[in-house]
Amino acid sequence: MPTLLVVHGPDRGRAFPLPPDEPQLVGRSSEALGLTDRTVSRLHAELTPDGDHWTVRDLGSSHGTFLNGLRTAGHVALQRGDRLRLGDSEFLVVDEGAIHTAAPDLTTQLSSATQTALPLPESRDAILAYRLARLSAEPTRTDDFLEQASRLIQSSAGLESCVMLRGGANGFLVPTTVQHAPLALAEQALASGEPMLARDEQRGNHHAVAIPIAAHMHGAVATVLIARGGAELTSTSTLAALQLSAQLVGLGLAARAANSENDGRLAAIGESMATLSHAIKNILQGLRSGADAVEMTIARGDLAQAREGWPILQRNLDRIQSLVLNMLAWAKERPLEPEMIDLNALVTEVKELLQAAATRKRLRLGIELESTLPPVYADLSAIYQAITNLAMNAIEAAPEKTGVVTIRTRYNAQDDAACITVIDNGAGIPLSLRSRLFEPFLSTKGQRGTGLGLAVARKIAHRHGGSARLVRSDEHGTEIALIIQASRLGNEDASSLDDLDATRAPRSASSRDVPWTFGP
């Protein structure tokens, strides 16, 4: 029985047997092979038995269905050993019995080991791949790595020239050794995410190919491989070698980006731990003070005085609960469980929960609900946490005795969006912090805050296809809006990501991109 084994993606390690004579749907829907990958559409592709074979057909998914690196169209036959990619998930087609087969122990069949050098690969492409892989692993600077890789590819493939162009803030950063390059071709390849092939009409049978390099790592600079040559450049073998080279260069760039990112991440972890340590220390001090006050009054038998110490304990217990929930929400991304929810009822529940905190501060907490607000397709517990974070921030910002906090709901039918706005009459947010308001661990409360509340609220809004934004902040108060898509369609769009890993054949550039001039 053929089986789909997940070899890459959130469901890595899972296996889906394909029962004979039973067509199968692949996607995130309950009727399909259940996947958790948010880049896979609800009904992404269909697998259909055809005698002893199976075929796959894309069902109009957002990112398409790829078989062995090529985008499929119509029914395409599956073979053992094929690689099927949907979104960020990749499947290997295997026989069911081959999944858990253990490798035999060959120790008794081997003679005593002797040191030997493995031979280098013999074919041109294999030698090129081997040398690029070794070059990628060397600890060289990014510019030096790209220059050495360009020379290696040019020499191995017999090209007139080969160069790597890195994207910068003002366009491509062209090496000083290159006087002219087809920048329009490079820009078109980078914008489309596909290899682009063009002919130099001024030089007859000369061509150029631009291949975008996907580094598969956040923080890696966008790069394009540009190669030029004669008619041999358009051969299938040369184009395949260049695509393989671009993938290997991408791995080298990813490794360098990872090293740089790790250095920055360690510094961010240190700063975050210092912030959290201050917050936890302050909460523990509050708990200790409240506990001491209650203990002293109980020892004296003064129950009335003990009641005055209890709010201190209660307030700090609420703070540490909020801190733990926000840390979990920020650090661990659980799958959303959307359902149709009554947003007005949810806001009313938040108001009832926070009424005690508002009463302790002697401020007025109110709600203004739009009666025409339709049910919203969202994760109830996540939206509840986001609204609670915004409201708690407002309560802490509002002044005692004269404070007013309002939670308001509105519906924008044109954008099919629900908006929850939280308004306070506090002193406002300092101008220097407004542009960074939603960054994690940035707090306007000094040592009393962790800076996670707003960051978590924005993350939740983004996962629902919406946003969190500062509407207004001045000396009269602050207004922050949480906007989420209301319908199922909006939530589906939120999971749509660009398919950056697509591997497609080169296509011709438009006529306006040629002719162009190369350097000597």
Side-chain angles (χ1 to χ4, degrees):
M1 180 185 300
T3 299
L4 295 182
L5 176 63
V6 186
V7 295
H8 180 76
D11 300 289
R12 182 178 179 182
R14 295 180 63 188
F16 298 97
L18 303 179
D21 303 323
E22 294 184 20
Q24 301 291 313
L25 295 174
V26 186
R28 293 184 292 107
S29 170
S30 58
E31 308 101 43
L33 301 181
L35 301 173
T36 62
D37 186 353
R38 300 295 299 177
T39 64
V40 174
S41 298
R42 293 175 61 81
L43 294 177
H44 196 112
E46 179 185 43
L47 298 170
T48 306
D50 182 13
D52 296 333
H53 303 284
W54 283 76
T55 62
V56 61
R57 178 173 67 93
D58 186 76
L59 297 177
S61 63
S62 300
H63 309 310
T65 300
F66 293 80
L67 183 65
N68 299 325
L70 298 177
R71 190 165 191 152
T72 62
H75 288 273
V76 180
L78 288 177
Q79 304 291 336
R80 269 62 167 184
D82 281 348
R83 286 182 173 264
L84 185 67
R85 182 161 61 79
L86 288 70
D88 288 338
S89 295
E90 188 170 357
F91 305 81
L92 182 64
V93 182
V94 298
D95 288 318
E96 182 179 24
I99 298 177
H100 302 293
T101 302
D105 186 358
L106 302 179
T107 304
T108 58
Q109 303 177 28
L110 299 176
S111 60
S112 58
T114 56
Q115 185 174 358
T116 182
L118 294 176
L120 288 174
E122 295 181 357
S123 71
R124 181 198 68 175
D125 294 354
I127 294 174
L128 175 60
Y130 171 77
R131 290 176 175 170
L132 279 175
R134 289 191 59 179
L135 185 61
S136 297
E138 295 177 1
T140 53
R141 293 173 57 253
T142 299
D143 289 337
D144 294 338
F145 163 65
L146 292 177
E147 182 180 353
Q148 294 173 32
S150 299
R151 291 201 301 265
L152 183 59
I153 296 170
Q154 177 180 345
S155 173
S156 176
L159 304 172
E160 289 185 19
S161 70
C162 180
V163 64
M164 310 284 182
L165 303 183
R166 301 176 67 196
N170 299 315
F172 285 105
L173 306 178
V174 182
T176 55
T177 55
V178 178
Q179 295 184 5
H180 304 282
L183 298 182
L185 188 68
E187 290 171 355
Q188 192 171 354
L190 198 58
S192 66
E194 300 179 2
M196 305 296 295
L197 180 66
R199 184 169 63 91
D200 185 353
E201 295 181 352
Q202 292 183 348
R203 299 187 63 193
N205 209 21
H206 285 72
H207 297 77
V209 64
I211 303 177
I213 295 175
H216 306 289
M217 178 64 64
H218 174 72
V221 179
T223 307
V224 179
L225 183 154
I226 297 287
R228 64 168 179 144
E232 72 281 355
L233 180 62
T234 62
S235 69
T236 302
S237 60
T238 300
L239 291 174
L242 291 176
Q243 294 221 81
L244 174 62
S245 300
Q247 293 173 1
L248 291 172
V249 171
L251 291 176
L253 291 175
R256 285 157 177 78
N259 290 335
S260 175
E261 186 175 346
N262 285 338
D263 292 341
R265 188 175 298 167
L266 287 174
I269 288 174
E271 182 179 352
S272 303
M273 289 303 297
T275 302
L276 291 174
S277 297
H278 279 295
I280 294 171
K281 180 195 71 174
N282 294 331
I283 292 172
L284 291 176
Q285 286 177 345
L287 288 171
R288 183 72 268 168
S289 298
D292 289 344
V294 171
E295 183 179 7
M296 290 173 58
T297 53
I298 289 177
R300 294 199 300 262
D302 189 349
L303 187 58
Q305 190 70 24
R307 288 195 183 97
E308 295 184 9
W310 174 248
I312 301 176
L313 283 172
Q314 190 178 36
R315 184 165 58 252
N316 283 280
L317 287 172
D318 291 343
R319 289 177 63 194
I320 201 163
Q321 180 188 35
S322 175
L323 172 62
V324 171
L325 290 177
N326 282 327
M327 287 175 63
L328 288 174
W330 181 255
K332 183 178 181 180
E333 189 165 297
R334 67 174 180 85
L336 293 178
E337 298 177 2
E339 57 183 304
M340 300 307 293
I341 64 174
D342 184 342
L343 202 55
N344 283 341
L346 187 63
V347 169
T348 302
E349 188 176 343
V350 171
K351 190 256 185 186
E352 293 172 353
L353 169 75
L354 300 181
Q355 186 59 59
T359 302
R360 287 195 298 268
K361 201 169 179 182
R362 291 176 287 180
L363 56 81
R364 188 167 74 252
L365 175 61
I367 55 177
E368 297 178 3
L369 307 178
E370 182 170 306
S371 59
T372 59
L373 181 67
V376 174
Y377 189 63
D379 186 303
L380 187 146
S381 61
I383 298 299
Y384 184 91
Q385 183 176 5
I387 298 173
T388 301
N389 285 355
L390 295 183
M392 278 301 302
N393 269 24
I395 289 173
E396 293 180 359
E400 290 192 26
K401 299 182 181 179
T402 60
V404 178
V405 173
T406 304
I407 308 175
R408 177 187 298 158
T409 62
R410 292 290 183 269
Y411 176 65
N412 185 332
Q414 182 177 355
D415 297 332
D416 189 34
C419 179
I420 306 99
T421 306
V422 180
I423 309 165
D424 66 67
N425 64 339
I429 299 167
L431 184 61
S432 60
L433 296 181
R434 292 178 193 174
S435 63
R436 304 173 54 207
L437 186 61
F438 294 95
E439 290 184 10
F441 307 110
L442 177 73
S443 176
T444 61
K445 309 171 196 172
Q447 292 191 355
R448 293 183 297 107
T450 63
L452 277 177
L454 292 179
V456 168
R458 182 180 66 170
K459 179 179 179 181
I460 291 171
H462 283 179
R463 295 190 68 198
H464 284 80
S467 63
R469 62 187 181 87
L470 177 64
V471 178
R472 172 188 61 83
S473 186
D474 51 35
E475 66 273 13
H476 302 296
T478 298
E479 182 176 348
I480 294 179
L482 185 76
I483 303 169
I484 60 174
Q485 291 296 310
S487 70
R488 290 173 179 264
L489 177 62
N491 190 266
E492 182 74 14
D493 290 342
S495 66
S496 178
L497 301 174
D498 290 333
D499 194 349
L500 300 179
D501 295 353
T503 304
R504 307 181 180 97
R507 68 183 184 190
S508 298
S510 60
S511 58
R512 64 182 177 83
D513 289 311
V514 291
W516 26 255
T517 308
F518 289 105

